[in-house]
mmCIF file of all heavy atoms in Angstrom:
data_model
loop_
_atom_site.group_PDB
_atom_site.id
_atom_site.type_symbol
_atom_site.label_atom_id
_atom_site.label_comp_id
_atom_site.label_asym_id
_atom_site.label_seq_id
_atom_site.Cartn_x
_atom_site.Cartn_y
_atom_site.Cartn_z
ATOM 1 N N ALA D 2 6.845 0.929 0.150
ATOM 2 C CA ALA D 2 7.201 1.964 -0.827
ATOM 3 C C ALA D 2 7.905 1.369 -2.036
ATOM 4 O O ALA D 2 7.709 1.824 -3.171
ATOM 5 C CB ALA D 2 8.055 3.024 -0.153
ATOM 6 N N GLU D 3 8.764 0.371 -1.813
ATOM 7 C CA GLU D 3 9.484 -0.242 -2.927
ATOM 8 C C GLU D 3 8.550 -0.879 -3.930
ATOM 9 O O GLU D 3 8.697 -0.724 -5.163
ATOM 10 C CB GLU D 3 10.472 -1.279 -2.399
ATOM 11 C CG GLU D 3 11.268 -1.979 -3.487
ATOM 12 C CD GLU D 3 12.140 -3.124 -2.971
ATOM 13 O OE1 GLU D 3 12.150 -3.336 -1.743
ATOM 14 O OE2 GLU D 3 12.762 -3.792 -3.800
ATOM 15 N N GLU D 4 7.556 -1.606 -3.429
ATOM 16 C CA GLU D 4 6.611 -2.262 -4.336
ATOM 17 C C GLU D 4 5.701 -1.257 -5.017
ATOM 18 O O GLU D 4 5.314 -1.443 -6.174
ATOM 19 C CB GLU D 4 5.812 -3.320 -3.577
ATOM 20 C CG GLU D 4 6.666 -4.517 -3.148
ATOM 21 C CD GLU D 4 5.910 -5.553 -2.382
ATOM 22 O OE1 GLU D 4 4.739 -5.314 -2.012
ATOM 23 O OE2 GLU D 4 6.489 -6.628 -2.119
ATOM 24 N N LEU D 5 5.333 -0.185 -4.318
ATOM 25 C CA LEU D 5 4.554 0.878 -4.964
ATOM 26 C C LEU D 5 5.331 1.483 -6.124
ATOM 27 O O LEU D 5 4.784 1.726 -7.212
ATOM 28 C CB LEU D 5 4.194 1.959 -3.946
ATOM 29 C CG LEU D 5 3.093 1.608 -2.916
ATOM 30 C CD1 LEU D 5 2.983 2.722 -1.897
ATOM 31 C CD2 LEU D 5 1.751 1.376 -3.614
ATOM 32 N N ALA D 6 6.610 1.758 -5.901
ATOM 33 C CA ALA D 6 7.442 2.334 -6.956
ATOM 34 C C ALA D 6 7.549 1.377 -8.143
ATOM 35 O O ALA D 6 7.523 1.801 -9.319
ATOM 36 C CB ALA D 6 8.831 2.655 -6.411
ATOM 37 N N LEU D 7 7.624 0.081 -7.854
ATOM 38 C CA LEU D 7 7.707 -0.918 -8.924
ATOM 39 C C LEU D 7 6.407 -0.973 -9.714
ATOM 40 O O LEU D 7 6.423 -1.057 -10.959
ATOM 41 C CB LEU D 7 8.014 -2.281 -8.323
ATOM 42 C CG LEU D 7 8.305 -3.421 -9.297
ATOM 43 C CD1 LEU D 7 9.506 -3.106 -10.168
ATOM 44 C CD2 LEU D 7 8.522 -4.726 -8.527
ATOM 45 N N ALA D 8 5.272 -0.883 -9.035
ATOM 46 C CA ALA D 8 3.981 -0.883 -9.713
ATOM 47 C C ALA D 8 3.852 0.326 -10.630
ATOM 48 O O ALA D 8 3.329 0.233 -11.757
ATOM 49 C CB ALA D 8 2.849 -0.907 -8.683
ATOM 50 N N ARG D 9 4.326 1.461 -10.150
ATOM 51 C CA ARG D 9 4.278 2.673 -10.976
ATOM 52 C C ARG D 9 5.169 2.509 -12.202
ATOM 53 O O ARG D 9 4.787 2.863 -13.319
ATOM 54 C CB ARG D 9 4.740 3.865 -10.148
ATOM 55 C CG ARG D 9 4.767 5.186 -10.915
ATOM 56 C CD ARG D 9 5.241 6.311 -10.035
ATOM 57 N NE ARG D 9 5.255 7.582 -10.749
ATOM 58 C CZ ARG D 9 5.630 8.746 -10.216
ATOM 59 N NH1 ARG D 9 6.027 8.793 -8.951
ATOM 60 N NH2 ARG D 9 5.616 9.847 -10.919
ATOM 61 N N GLU D 10 6.350 1.963 -11.998
ATOM 62 C CA GLU D 10 7.310 1.778 -13.091
ATOM 63 C C GLU D 10 6.764 0.837 -14.139
ATOM 64 O O GLU D 10 6.937 1.033 -15.347
ATOM 65 C CB GLU D 10 8.619 1.247 -12.518
ATOM 66 C CG GLU D 10 9.665 0.874 -13.563
ATOM 67 C CD GLU D 10 10.855 0.139 -12.959
ATOM 68 O OE1 GLU D 10 11.190 0.426 -11.783
ATOM 69 O OE2 GLU D 10 11.426 -0.717 -13.644
ATOM 70 N N LYS D 11 6.070 -0.241 -13.702
ATOM 71 C CA LYS D 11 5.573 -1.249 -14.633
ATOM 72 C C LYS D 11 4.300 -0.798 -15.365
ATOM 73 O O LYS D 11 3.883 -1.437 -16.331
ATOM 74 C CB LYS D 11 5.321 -2.559 -13.899
ATOM 75 C CG LYS D 11 6.595 -3.212 -13.335
ATOM 76 C CD LYS D 11 7.582 -3.572 -14.409
ATOM 77 C CE LYS D 11 8.827 -4.247 -13.855
ATOM 78 N NZ LYS D 11 8.631 -5.620 -13.423
ATOM 79 N N GLY D 12 3.660 0.250 -14.880
ATOM 80 C CA GLY D 12 2.502 0.792 -15.599
ATOM 81 C C GLY D 12 1.175 0.117 -15.316
ATOM 82 O O GLY D 12 0.299 0.090 -16.186
ATOM 83 N N VAL D 13 0.985 -0.415 -14.107
ATOM 84 C CA VAL D 13 -0.320 -0.995 -13.761
ATOM 85 C C VAL D 13 -1.337 0.130 -13.593
ATOM 86 O O VAL D 13 -0.971 1.314 -13.465
ATOM 87 C CB VAL D 13 -0.244 -1.867 -12.498
ATOM 88 C CG1 VAL D 13 0.787 -2.957 -12.653
ATOM 89 C CG2 VAL D 13 0.044 -1.027 -11.254
ATOM 90 N N HIS D 14 -2.615 -0.221 -13.574
ATOM 91 C CA HIS D 14 -3.651 0.799 -13.512
ATOM 92 C C HIS D 14 -4.028 1.185 -12.065
ATOM 93 O O HIS D 14 -4.457 2.304 -11.820
ATOM 94 C CB HIS D 14 -4.911 0.302 -14.219
ATOM 95 C CG HIS D 14 -4.697 0.076 -15.685
ATOM 96 N ND1 HIS D 14 -4.545 -1.182 -16.224
ATOM 97 C CD2 HIS D 14 -4.573 0.942 -16.724
ATOM 98 C CE1 HIS D 14 -4.361 -1.086 -17.527
ATOM 99 N NE2 HIS D 14 -4.360 0.186 -17.855
ATOM 100 N N PHE D 15 -3.884 0.246 -11.121
ATOM 101 C CA PHE D 15 -4.192 0.533 -9.728
ATOM 102 C C PHE D 15 -3.500 -0.483 -8.840
ATOM 103 O O PHE D 15 -2.994 -1.502 -9.327
ATOM 104 C CB PHE D 15 -5.709 0.515 -9.481
ATOM 105 C CG PHE D 15 -6.331 -0.861 -9.568
ATOM 106 C CD1 PHE D 15 -6.484 -1.647 -8.432
ATOM 107 C CD2 PHE D 15 -6.775 -1.357 -10.781
ATOM 108 C CE1 PHE D 15 -7.063 -2.918 -8.509
ATOM 109 C CE2 PHE D 15 -7.342 -2.625 -10.879
ATOM 110 C CZ PHE D 15 -7.480 -3.409 -9.740
ATOM 111 N N VAL D 16 -3.473 -0.214 -7.538
ATOM 112 C CA VAL D 16 -2.841 -1.149 -6.609
ATOM 113 C C VAL D 16 -3.718 -1.351 -5.380
ATOM 114 O O VAL D 16 -4.580 -0.504 -5.073
ATOM 115 C CB VAL D 16 -1.433 -0.679 -6.166
ATOM 116 C CG1 VAL D 16 -0.528 -0.455 -7.360
ATOM 117 C CG2 VAL D 16 -1.520 0.573 -5.314
ATOM 118 N N LEU D 17 -3.495 -2.457 -4.691
ATOM 119 C CA LEU D 17 -4.043 -2.717 -3.365
ATOM 120 C C LEU D 17 -2.877 -2.655 -2.376
ATOM 121 O O LEU D 17 -1.863 -3.339 -2.582
ATOM 122 C CB LEU D 17 -4.690 -4.102 -3.316
ATOM 123 C CG LEU D 17 -6.151 -4.249 -3.727
ATOM 124 C CD1 LEU D 17 -6.393 -3.732 -5.128
ATOM 125 C CD2 LEU D 17 -6.591 -5.722 -3.619
ATOM 126 N N LEU D 18 -2.996 -1.823 -1.351
ATOM 127 C CA LEU D 18 -1.929 -1.661 -0.384
ATOM 128 C C LEU D 18 -2.368 -2.229 0.955
ATOM 129 O O LEU D 18 -3.418 -1.864 1.487
ATOM 130 C CB LEU D 18 -1.582 -0.171 -0.237
ATOM 131 C CG LEU D 18 -0.453 0.179 0.744
ATOM 132 C CD1 LEU D 18 0.847 -0.493 0.359
ATOM 133 C CD2 LEU D 18 -0.261 1.713 0.790
ATOM 134 N N SER D 19 -1.528 -3.135 1.517
ATOM 135 C CA SER D 19 -1.932 -3.822 2.742
ATOM 136 C C SER D 19 -0.702 -4.213 3.558
ATOM 137 O O SER D 19 0.433 -4.168 3.058
ATOM 138 C CB SER D 19 -2.723 -5.081 2.382
ATOM 139 O OG SER D 19 -1.872 -6.037 1.755
ATOM 140 N N PRO D 20 -0.946 -4.659 4.862
ATOM 141 C CA PRO D 20 -2.235 -4.595 5.562
ATOM 142 C C PRO D 20 -2.380 -3.256 6.281
ATOM 143 O O PRO D 20 -1.455 -2.785 6.940
ATOM 144 C CB PRO D 20 -2.130 -5.736 6.558
ATOM 145 C CG PRO D 20 -0.653 -5.806 6.881
ATOM 146 C CD PRO D 20 0.078 -5.395 5.625
ATOM 147 N N VAL D 21 -3.555 -2.653 6.146
ATOM 148 C CA VAL D 21 -3.802 -1.376 6.801
ATOM 149 C C VAL D 21 -4.176 -1.587 8.271
ATOM 150 O O VAL D 21 -3.632 -0.921 9.162
ATOM 151 C CB VAL D 21 -4.908 -0.589 6.068
ATOM 152 C CG1 VAL D 21 -5.162 0.756 6.756
ATOM 153 C CG2 VAL D 21 -4.515 -0.358 4.605
ATOM 154 N N LEU D 22 -5.092 -2.523 8.517
ATOM 155 C CA LEU D 22 -5.535 -2.832 9.873
ATOM 156 C C LEU D 22 -5.382 -4.337 10.120
ATOM 157 O O LEU D 22 -5.249 -5.105 9.165
ATOM 158 C CB LEU D 22 -7.004 -2.407 10.049
ATOM 159 C CG LEU D 22 -7.323 -0.933 9.828
ATOM 160 C CD1 LEU D 22 -8.832 -0.698 9.961
ATOM 161 C CD2 LEU D 22 -6.554 -0.037 10.767
ATOM 162 N N PRO D 23 -5.412 -4.769 11.389
ATOM 163 C CA PRO D 23 -5.332 -6.216 11.664
ATOM 164 C C PRO D 23 -6.479 -6.981 11.019
ATOM 165 O O PRO D 23 -7.585 -6.457 10.860
ATOM 166 C CB PRO D 23 -5.413 -6.292 13.193
ATOM 167 C CG PRO D 23 -5.008 -4.934 13.666
ATOM 168 C CD PRO D 23 -5.474 -3.967 12.616
ATOM 169 N N THR D 24 -6.209 -8.218 10.654
ATOM 170 C CA THR D 24 -7.234 -9.079 10.055
ATOM 171 C C THR D 24 -7.378 -10.344 10.884
ATOM 172 O O THR D 24 -6.476 -10.741 11.612
ATOM 173 C CB THR D 24 -6.859 -9.460 8.612
ATOM 174 O OG1 THR D 24 -5.655 -10.256 8.647
ATOM 175 C CG2 THR D 24 -6.620 -8.227 7.768
ATOM 176 N N ALA D 25 -8.534 -10.994 10.733
ATOM 177 C CA ALA D 25 -8.789 -12.242 11.457
ATOM 178 C C ALA D 25 -7.825 -13.338 11.022
ATOM 179 O O ALA D 25 -7.442 -14.201 11.813
ATOM 180 C CB ALA D 25 -10.226 -12.684 11.232
ATOM 181 N N SER D 26 -7.417 -13.325 9.744
ATOM 182 C CA SER D 26 -6.524 -14.374 9.241
ATOM 183 C C SER D 26 -5.077 -14.143 9.632
ATOM 184 O O SER D 26 -4.302 -15.086 9.712
ATOM 185 C CB SER D 26 -6.644 -14.464 7.717
ATOM 186 O OG SER D 26 -6.344 -13.223 7.120
ATOM 187 N N HIS D 27 -4.693 -12.859 9.875
ATOM 188 C CA HIS D 27 -3.305 -12.541 10.269
ATOM 189 C C HIS D 27 -3.342 -11.508 11.408
ATOM 190 O O HIS D 27 -2.907 -10.360 11.235
ATOM 191 C CB HIS D 27 -2.524 -11.984 9.062
ATOM 192 C CG HIS D 27 -2.415 -12.943 7.932
ATOM 193 N ND1 HIS D 27 -3.376 -13.038 6.937
ATOM 194 C CD2 HIS D 27 -1.475 -13.873 7.622
ATOM 195 C CE1 HIS D 27 -3.014 -13.948 6.066
ATOM 196 N NE2 HIS D 27 -1.862 -14.481 6.454
ATOM 197 N N PRO D 28 -3.852 -11.910 12.570
ATOM 198 C CA PRO D 28 -4.041 -10.931 13.654
ATOM 199 C C PRO D 28 -2.743 -10.353 14.218
ATOM 200 O O PRO D 28 -2.760 -9.259 14.786
ATOM 201 C CB PRO D 28 -4.796 -11.742 14.726
ATOM 202 C CG PRO D 28 -4.416 -13.170 14.445
ATOM 203 C CD PRO D 28 -4.269 -13.258 12.963
ATOM 204 N N ASP D 29 -1.634 -11.051 14.061
ATOM 205 C CA ASP D 29 -0.368 -10.586 14.641
ATOM 206 C C ASP D 29 0.545 -9.921 13.620
ATOM 207 O O ASP D 29 1.675 -9.539 13.965
ATOM 208 C CB ASP D 29 0.372 -11.762 15.296
ATOM 209 C CG ASP D 29 -0.442 -12.403 16.413
ATOM 210 O OD1 ASP D 29 -1.122 -11.639 17.134
ATOM 211 O OD2 ASP D 29 -0.407 -13.639 16.541
ATOM 212 N N ALA D 30 0.089 -9.768 12.390
ATOM 213 C CA ALA D 30 0.929 -9.168 11.341
ATOM 214 C C ALA D 30 1.132 -7.676 11.635
ATOM 215 O O ALA D 30 0.247 -7.000 12.171
ATOM 216 C CB ALA D 30 0.278 -9.339 9.975
ATOM 217 N N GLU D 31 2.313 -7.177 11.266
ATOM 218 C CA GLU D 31 2.589 -5.744 11.424
ATOM 219 C C GLU D 31 1.750 -4.973 10.404
ATOM 220 O O GLU D 31 1.757 -5.292 9.218
ATOM 221 C CB GLU D 31 4.056 -5.474 11.200
ATOM 222 C CG GLU D 31 4.452 -4.022 11.438
ATOM 223 C CD GLU D 31 5.950 -3.783 11.288
ATOM 224 O OE1 GLU D 31 6.693 -4.783 11.149
ATOM 225 O OE2 GLU D 31 6.361 -2.617 11.289
ATOM 226 N N VAL D 32 1.026 -3.967 10.870
ATOM 227 C CA VAL D 32 0.117 -3.226 9.994
ATOM 228 C C VAL D 32 0.641 -1.817 9.730
ATOM 229 O O VAL D 32 1.433 -1.269 10.502
ATOM 230 C CB VAL D 32 -1.303 -3.165 10.581
ATOM 231 C CG1 VAL D 32 -1.879 -4.559 10.753
ATOM 232 C CG2 VAL D 32 -1.326 -2.406 11.904
ATOM 233 N N LEU D 33 0.154 -1.240 8.652
ATOM 234 C CA LEU D 33 0.533 0.127 8.302
ATOM 235 C C LEU D 33 -0.169 1.153 9.179
ATOM 236 O O LEU D 33 0.401 2.197 9.512
ATOM 237 C CB LEU D 33 0.175 0.398 6.830
ATOM 238 C CG LEU D 33 0.889 -0.428 5.770
ATOM 239 C CD1 LEU D 33 0.217 -0.225 4.404
ATOM 240 C CD2 LEU D 33 2.358 -0.038 5.698
ATOM 241 N N GLY D 34 -1.431 0.874 9.530
ATOM 242 C CA GLY D 34 -2.262 1.877 10.167
ATOM 243 C C GLY D 34 -2.661 2.933 9.138
ATOM 244 O O GLY D 34 -2.077 3.015 8.041
ATOM 245 N N TRP D 35 -3.648 3.750 9.469
ATOM 246 C CA TRP D 35 -4.096 4.751 8.517
ATOM 247 C C TRP D 35 -3.031 5.801 8.213
ATOM 248 O O TRP D 35 -2.911 6.257 7.085
ATOM 249 C CB TRP D 35 -5.374 5.418 9.011
ATOM 250 C CG TRP D 35 -6.595 4.562 8.832
ATOM 251 C CD1 TRP D 35 -7.380 4.035 9.819
ATOM 252 C CD2 TRP D 35 -7.150 4.094 7.605
ATOM 253 N NE1 TRP D 35 -8.382 3.269 9.271
ATOM 254 C CE2 TRP D 35 -8.267 3.306 7.923
ATOM 255 C CE3 TRP D 35 -6.809 4.283 6.275
ATOM 256 C CZ2 TRP D 35 -9.052 2.696 6.936
ATOM 257 C CZ3 TRP D 35 -7.579 3.683 5.293
ATOM 258 C CH2 TRP D 35 -8.686 2.892 5.625
ATOM 259 N N LYS D 36 -2.238 6.154 9.236
ATOM 260 C CA LYS D 36 -1.189 7.159 8.992
ATOM 261 C C LYS D 36 -0.117 6.599 8.060
ATOM 262 O O LYS D 36 0.332 7.280 7.127
ATOM 263 C CB LYS D 36 -0.552 7.636 10.295
ATOM 264 C CG LYS D 36 0.466 8.760 10.072
ATOM 265 C CD LYS D 36 1.114 9.235 11.343
ATOM 266 C CE LYS D 36 1.987 10.444 11.098
ATOM 267 N NZ LYS D 36 2.982 10.218 10.010
ATOM 268 N N GLY D 37 0.306 5.371 8.318
ATOM 269 C CA GLY D 37 1.293 4.758 7.454
ATOM 270 C C GLY D 37 0.782 4.634 6.015
ATOM 271 O O GLY D 37 1.534 4.870 5.060
ATOM 272 N N PHE D 38 -0.471 4.256 5.872
ATOM 273 C CA PHE D 38 -1.083 4.167 4.545
ATOM 274 C C PHE D 38 -1.069 5.533 3.875
ATOM 275 O O PHE D 38 -0.645 5.688 2.726
ATOM 276 C CB PHE D 38 -2.510 3.640 4.657
ATOM 277 C CG PHE D 38 -3.259 3.596 3.353
ATOM 278 C CD1 PHE D 38 -3.251 2.444 2.588
ATOM 279 C CD2 PHE D 38 -3.981 4.694 2.893
ATOM 280 C CE1 PHE D 38 -3.924 2.391 1.385
ATOM 281 C CE2 PHE D 38 -4.656 4.656 1.684
ATOM 282 C CZ PHE D 38 -4.628 3.498 0.925
ATOM 283 N N SER D 39 -1.539 6.553 4.598
ATOM 284 C CA SER D 39 -1.634 7.895 4.032
ATOM 285 C C SER D 39 -0.268 8.426 3.638
ATOM 286 O O SER D 39 -0.133 9.061 2.580
ATOM 287 C CB SER D 39 -2.293 8.830 5.064
ATOM 288 O OG SER D 39 -2.485 10.112 4.522
ATOM 289 N N ASP D 40 0.744 8.178 4.447
ATOM 290 C CA ASP D 40 2.093 8.650 4.132
ATOM 291 C C ASP D 40 2.605 8.010 2.827
ATOM 292 O O ASP D 40 3.273 8.675 2.025
ATOM 293 C CB ASP D 40 3.067 8.315 5.268
ATOM 294 C CG ASP D 40 2.830 9.181 6.501
ATOM 295 O OD1 ASP D 40 2.106 10.190 6.390
ATOM 296 O OD2 ASP D 40 3.330 8.817 7.576
ATOM 297 N N LEU D 41 2.310 6.720 2.622
ATOM 298 C CA LEU D 41 2.802 6.026 1.444
ATOM 299 C C LEU D 41 2.126 6.477 0.167
ATOM 300 O O LEU D 41 2.738 6.485 -0.910
ATOM 301 C CB LEU D 41 2.622 4.513 1.605
ATOM 302 C CG LEU D 41 3.625 3.802 2.523
ATOM 303 C CD1 LEU D 41 3.198 2.354 2.750
ATOM 304 C CD2 LEU D 41 5.024 3.849 1.937
ATOM 305 N N VAL D 42 0.848 6.849 0.253
ATOM 306 C CA VAL D 42 0.100 7.183 -0.982
ATOM 307 C C VAL D 42 -0.004 8.695 -1.214
ATOM 308 O O VAL D 42 -0.587 9.114 -2.207
ATOM 309 C CB VAL D 42 -1.324 6.571 -0.958
ATOM 310 C CG1 VAL D 42 -1.244 5.066 -0.726
ATOM 311 C CG2 VAL D 42 -2.218 7.233 0.089
ATOM 312 N N ALA D 43 0.569 9.496 -0.310
ATOM 313 C CA ALA D 43 0.396 10.951 -0.386
ATOM 314 C C ALA D 43 0.740 11.526 -1.748
ATOM 315 O O ALA D 43 0.052 12.432 -2.238
ATOM 316 C CB ALA D 43 1.225 11.625 0.710
ATOM 317 N N GLU D 44 1.800 11.038 -2.380
ATOM 318 C CA GLU D 44 2.172 11.552 -3.699
ATOM 319 C C GLU D 44 2.386 10.392 -4.672
ATOM 320 O O GLU D 44 3.237 10.436 -5.555
ATOM 321 C CB GLU D 44 3.413 12.431 -3.609
ATOM 322 C CG GLU D 44 3.179 13.724 -2.839
ATOM 323 C CD GLU D 44 4.254 14.770 -3.083
ATOM 324 O OE1 GLU D 44 5.095 14.565 -3.995
ATOM 325 O OE2 GLU D 44 4.256 15.777 -2.378
ATOM 326 N N PHE D 45 1.556 9.364 -4.520
ATOM 327 C CA PHE D 45 1.616 8.217 -5.418
ATOM 328 C C PHE D 45 0.555 8.392 -6.495
ATOM 329 O O PHE D 45 -0.641 8.469 -6.182
ATOM 330 C CB PHE D 45 1.386 6.915 -4.647
ATOM 331 C CG PHE D 45 1.478 5.674 -5.467
ATOM 332 C CD1 PHE D 45 2.705 5.271 -5.986
ATOM 333 C CD2 PHE D 45 0.346 4.926 -5.757
ATOM 334 C CE1 PHE D 45 2.799 4.113 -6.754
ATOM 335 C CE2 PHE D 45 0.431 3.776 -6.518
ATOM 336 C CZ PHE D 45 1.668 3.375 -7.031
ATOM 337 N N PRO D 46 0.941 8.464 -7.774
ATOM 338 C CA PRO D 46 0.002 8.888 -8.819
ATOM 339 C C PRO D 46 -0.859 7.799 -9.423
ATOM 340 O O PRO D 46 -1.181 7.861 -10.614
ATOM 341 C CB PRO D 46 0.968 9.475 -9.866
ATOM 342 C CG PRO D 46 2.167 8.602 -9.767
ATOM 343 C CD PRO D 46 2.301 8.268 -8.301
ATOM 344 N N LEU D 47 -1.236 6.784 -8.654
ATOM 345 C CA LEU D 47 -2.134 5.762 -9.124
ATOM 346 C C LEU D 47 -3.233 5.554 -8.087
ATOM 347 O O LEU D 47 -3.014 5.763 -6.885
ATOM 348 C CB LEU D 47 -1.406 4.435 -9.333
ATOM 349 C CG LEU D 47 -0.287 4.374 -10.380
ATOM 350 C CD1 LEU D 47 0.344 2.980 -10.386
ATOM 351 C CD2 LEU D 47 -0.782 4.723 -11.752
ATOM 352 N N PRO D 48 -4.424 5.124 -8.503
ATOM 353 C CA PRO D 48 -5.456 4.784 -7.526
ATOM 354 C C PRO D 48 -5.009 3.646 -6.614
ATOM 355 O O PRO D 48 -4.450 2.653 -7.088
ATOM 356 C CB PRO D 48 -6.635 4.355 -8.395
ATOM 357 C CG PRO D 48 -6.388 4.981 -9.730
ATOM 358 C CD PRO D 48 -4.901 4.994 -9.894
#
């Protein structure tokens, strides 16, 4: 959420939010999951 707020403040056009699901390169990384992703972007006004 902190980095999303910073991106909004700086005026970028869009963001990539990660990691949503596990990846082959980082299989043990803590992931957001779809619910965590959805909660973060629910009222975020950028693509």
Side-chain angles (χ1 to χ4, degrees):
E3 179 186 357
E4 291 179 351
L5 286 173
L7 187 60
R9 178 181 181 180
E10 175 190 328
K11 295 298 181 75
V13 304
H14 297 103
F15 69 93
V16 304
L17 273 56
L18 181 59
S19 68
V21 180
L22 301 177
T24 64
S26 57
H27 299 87
D29 299 323
E31 184 177 351
V32 299
L33 297 169
W35 284 115
K36 185 180 186 307
F38 176 92
S39 184
D40 289 346
L41 284 172
V42 305
E44 294 197 9
F45 182 69
L47 297 178

